[in-house]
Amino acid sequence: QVELVESGGGLVQAGDSLKLSCTGPPRTFNNYAIAWFRQPSGKEPEFIGASNWNGASIYYAANVYHKESMKGRFTISRDNARYTVTLQVDNLTPEDTAHYYCAARDRAQYIPGSTRFDYWGLGTQVTVSS
């Protein structure tokens, strides 16, 4: 079992930026690829992107590049020294309101572009008011 803890959510205004953090177990953190998902209330989870074990390779979902409501606003970064993967979301809109989760998969099993992840945090709620 891998314990992941998300933080940084809250109530924000449209146009704001938000940085969400996913913190994992210090001793084994670099054994895992880490992904970010979000799930609006009543909808299916949406994959945002993932970092490989050291942050050298960040994969973003196609929607982050092509979906008008998401284009160019999501950035994932990784800092193994702080056991953290960060999701920054810029220029927030009410459509970004969702529960945001991070998830982990063993680095040996991780395939860039795959949405299969084995360990999940409890998530952090982001609510964007207009």
Side-chain angles (χ1 to χ4, degrees):
Q1 190 67 23
V2 177
E3 185 177 357
L4 302 172
V5 179
E6 300 92 338
S7 61
L11 175 63
V12 296
Q13 300 280 334
D16 286 350
S17 294
L18 200 61
K19 195 172 279 191
L20 305 179
S21 294
C22 172
T23 303
R27 288 193 338 177
T28 59
F29 189 69
N30 64 1
N31 289 345
Y32 298 95
I34 303 291
W36 281 98
F37 293 79
R38 68 181 184 178
Q39 185 170 20
S41 180
K43 295 187 178 180
E44 294 292 314
E46 179 179 35
F47 173 63
I48 298 171
S51 167
N52 76 325
W53 73 274
N54 65 359
S57 174
I58 306 292
Y59 181 94
Y60 293 98
N63 281 350
V64 174
Y65 294 109
H66 302 301
K67 187 177 178 182
E68 203 57 46
S69 62
M70 294 183 74
K71 228 185 261 190
R73 300 190 298 112
F74 293 78
T75 305
I76 293 173
S77 60
R78 182 171 186 139
D79 185 347
N80 278 355
R82 291 181 168 78
Y83 325 114
T84 298
V85 174
T86 298
L87 171 67
Q88 175 153 342
V89 188
D90 296 318
N91 194 21
L92 285 152
T93 75
E95 282 189 9
D96 296 315
T97 295
H99 208 75
Y100 284 71
Y101 297 90
C102 65
R105 184 156 174 88
D106 189 291
R107 65 192 255 190
Q109 297 176 323
Y110 168 64
I111 300 172
S114 170
T115 58
R116 182 175 174 180
F117 287 81
D118 305 301
Y119 308 102
W120 293 75
L122 296 178
T124 185
Q125 178 67 31
V126 173
T127 303
V128 185
S129 65
S130 57

